[in-house]
């Protein structure tokens, strides 16, 4: 399959496809009617107060190093904002700023109609509202009794692959008695049992944790190990800019015929360097391997230029850092530039759920970063991961409930 056709296939992944003609017109009319109802429902609600709750999330294991950072730990403590209306509705979600700034921002929003700060066809409408981007979307979904993906205009969700983003360089630790390759196998086996059928492997050990050649050799060994023991799993690799162009091609040559589904941040993005890699991939039976970038120090204009030139396939800016509303606006821009999206979610599972709804509602997301977490403080909802596919539940908002008040 031609690479652009392959990308088109990924972008169109979903459970329903609109048929041109009367069916499409009927769905359009139904959507227009639904939008009017949503607007009326939201216009009735007056913003009243906010509250903050600290919740603990824990990973199933200690997450170690990537090419540039040390131990990532056992999981984060997060602040969840609850946003209330005078009519008794409540939406929850992560903030895009500090509690202090959120409190000050809400002073200018209190007493306003929800529709003064939020439009279901657009998202958050002001700088202050952007801080509450996620709670506002959740609140709108709660009020209109529909999941966020339906709020985005999709009656039946696009369903998308989901990869485990938690396979770090845990073979290197503890320093006094490194776990070795058995640790990587153990982690993959756990993630496979959880339903993942894509694994993203952190590579780039030779940047600072091992001598260069030894690091490349270990990266090769890890990649081959995972492919040999999990042949039905898509392999994604992420170097966190830990390679040079020539060293990365050396790594690719070393893994021989192991299929690689995507390559993330092999080195700092430059048009010339990515062109060299893209040409090498095309000449070595890897035309459909996706190149992904835009997580660290994102440069959207550069990414779009690289997309137009056919050397970058997937844009990665963070779902919280860039923002849910901004990702809604960015999705059609990526399509125009023949690019896919896959928002960066690392850190916690809530971000995985937010991206799931974005993907389910708008499509054009080729895969979702999964960050497995457990918590006694928040119920993540009833979506499910089945055979590598993340399937959203038909529950209002983002489907999550605070267990801790």
């Amino acid at each position: 399959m031609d690479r652009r056709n392959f990308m088109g296939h990924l972008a169109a992944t979903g459970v329903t496809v609109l048929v041109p003609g009367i069916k499409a017109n009927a769905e359009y009319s139904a959507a227009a009617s639904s939008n009017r109802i949503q607007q009326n429902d939201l216009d009735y609600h007056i913003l009243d107060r906010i509250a903050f709750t600290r919740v603990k999330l824990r990973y199933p294991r200690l997450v170690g190093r990537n090419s540039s950072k040390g131990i990532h730990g056992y999981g984060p403590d997060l602040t969840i904002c609850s946003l209330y209306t005078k009519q008794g509705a409540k939406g929850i979600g992560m903030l895009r700023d500090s509690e202090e700034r959120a409190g000050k921002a809400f002073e200018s929003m209190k007493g306003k109609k929800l529709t003064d700060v939020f439009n279901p066809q657009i998202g958050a409408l002001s700088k202050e509202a952007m801080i509450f981007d996620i709670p506002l979307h959740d609140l709108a979904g709660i009020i209109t009794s529909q999941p966020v993906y339906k709020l985005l205009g999709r009656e039946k969700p696009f369903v998308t692959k989901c990869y485990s983003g938690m396979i770090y360089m845990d073979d290197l630790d503890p320093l006094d008695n490194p776990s070795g390759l058995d640790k990587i196998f153990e982690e993959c086996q756990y993630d496979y049992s959880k339903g993942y059928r894509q694994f993203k492997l952190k590579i780039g050990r030779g940047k600072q944790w091992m001598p260069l050649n030894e690091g490349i050799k270990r990266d090769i060994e890890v990649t081959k190990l995972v492919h040999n023991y999990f042949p039905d799993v898509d392999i994604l690799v992420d170097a966190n800019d830990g390679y040079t162009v020539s060293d990365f091609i050396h790594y690719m040559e070393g893994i021989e015929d192991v299929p690689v589904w995507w390559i993330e941040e092999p080195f700092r993005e430059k048009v010339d360097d990515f062109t060299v890699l893209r040409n090498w991939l095309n000449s070595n039976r890897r035309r459909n391997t996706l190149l992904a970038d835009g997580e660290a120090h994102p440069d959207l204009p550069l990414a779009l230029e690289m997309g137009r030139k056919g050397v970058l396939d997937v844009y990665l800016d963070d779902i919280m850092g860039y923002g849910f509303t901004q990702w809604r606006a960015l999705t059609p821009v990526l399509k125009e530039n023949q690019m896919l999206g896959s928002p960066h979610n690392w850190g916690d599972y809530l971000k995985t759920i937010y991206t799931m709804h974005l993907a389910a509602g708008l499509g054009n997301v080729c895969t979702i970063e999964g960050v497995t977490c457990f918590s006694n403080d928040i119920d993540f909802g009833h979506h499910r991961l089945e055979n590598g596919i993340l399937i959203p539940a038909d529950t209002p908002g983002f489907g999550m409930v605070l267990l801790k008040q």
Side-chain angles (χ1 to χ4, degrees), residues 91-389:
I92 67 169
M94 294 171 63
L95 292 166
R96 297 190 60 240
D97 211 324
S98 67
E99 291 182 40
E100 180 181 1
R101 289 197 180 98
K104 291 179 180 177
F106 189 74
E107 291 175 6
S108 66
M109 296 167 54
K110 184 176 180 178
K112 289 185 176 181
K113 294 179 180 180
L114 178 55
T115 49
D116 289 336
V117 300
F118 181 86
N119 184 313
Q121 282 75 58
I122 299 171
L125 297 177
S126 68
K127 179 180 178 182
E128 292 77 18
M130 286 291 183
I131 296 176
F132 304 95
D133 198 6
I134 294 295
L136 283 169
H137 277 88
D138 190 60
L139 179 61
I142 296 293
I143 291 170
T144 59
S145 300
Q146 60 185 337
V148 169
Y149 72 78
K150 287 190 179 181
L151 198 72
L152 304 187
R154 187 73 183 176
E155 183 63 28
K156 295 183 179 180
F158 291 109
V159 293
T160 308
K161 291 184 177 184
C162 181
Y163 69 83
S164 169
M166 304 188 70
I167 305 169
Y168 278 58
M169 300 176 182
D170 297 335
D171 53 303
L172 304 180
D173 291 302
L175 291 177
D176 58 349
N177 186 26
S179 301
L181 295 179
D182 287 348
K183 186 65 173 178
I184 302 296
F185 172 77
E186 173 189 316
E187 293 177 352
C188 289
Q189 200 163 39
Y190 178 91
D191 291 346
Y192 193 93
S193 72
K194 288 295 180 182
Y196 292 104
R197 295 299 180 267
Q198 290 187 323
F199 297 157
K200 188 172 82 173
L201 312 178
K202 291 292 187 178
I203 60 174
R205 289 165 175 81
K207 181 179 181 181
Q208 61 178 314
W209 308 122
M210 301 178 75
L212 177 60
N213 289 335
E214 291 182 25
I216 295 174
K217 181 181 178 183
R218 178 64 63 85
D219 290 345
I220 291 170
E221 290 173 341
V222 166
T223 308
K224 287 184 172 180
L225 171 93
V226 174
H227 175 63
N228 289 339
Y229 280 98
F230 302 92
D232 60 329
V233 165
D234 292 333
I235 292 178
L236 297 73
V237 297
D238 180 5
N240 293 103
D241 297 329
Y243 271 91
T244 64
V245 180
S246 59
D247 287 337
F248 190 80
I249 289 175
H250 176 47
Y251 158 78
M252 291 297 297
E253 291 171 338
I255 63 173
E256 300 174 313
D257 292 329
V258 174
V260 176
W261 198 82
W262 95 354
I263 295 166
E264 178 177 339
E265 292 193 320
F267 32 77
R268 282 301 299 164
E269 57 267 46
K270 294 180 181 179
V271 174
D272 291 346
D273 289 348
F274 267 70
T275 300
V276 170
L277 178 55
R278 181 78 266 167
N279 289 340
W280 185 91
L281 293 170
N282 292 348
S283 300
N284 287 271
R285 293 174 291 123
R286 296 184 183 274
R287 183 173 295 274
N288 289 336
T289 296
L290 299 174
L291 293 182
D293 217 309
E295 172 198 335
H297 313 293
D299 184 337
L300 180 57
L302 175 60
L304 294 177
E305 177 190 353
M306 293 170 69
R308 289 190 295 271
K309 292 183 175 179
V311 298
L312 184 65
D313 304 309
V314 188
Y315 189 63
L316 302 174
D317 209 337
D318 192 85
I319 191 67
M320 293 300 299
Y322 192 62
F324 196 89
T325 292
Q326 288 94 323
W327 261 104
R328 290 180 64 174
L330 178 61
T331 298
V333 177
L334 292 178
K335 290 180 182 179
E336 291 170 5
N337 288 272
Q338 301 183 68
M339 297 180 68
L340 303 166
S342 183
H344 174 256
N345 295 332
W346 172 254
D348 61 83
Y349 194 58
L350 280 75
K351 290 162 69 173
T352 298
I353 296 171
Y354 301 151
T355 293
M356 174 187 69
H357 279 270
L358 181 84
L362 300 181
N364 205 56
V365 174
C366 56
T367 189
I368 298 168
E369 181 172 23
V371 185
T372 303
C373 291
F374 303 97
S375 179
N376 293 322
D377 300 331
I378 189 167
D379 182 339
F380 294 122
H382 301 292
H383 59 277
R384 59 195 191 277
L385 180 63
E386 291 185 356
N387 201 32
I389 303 297

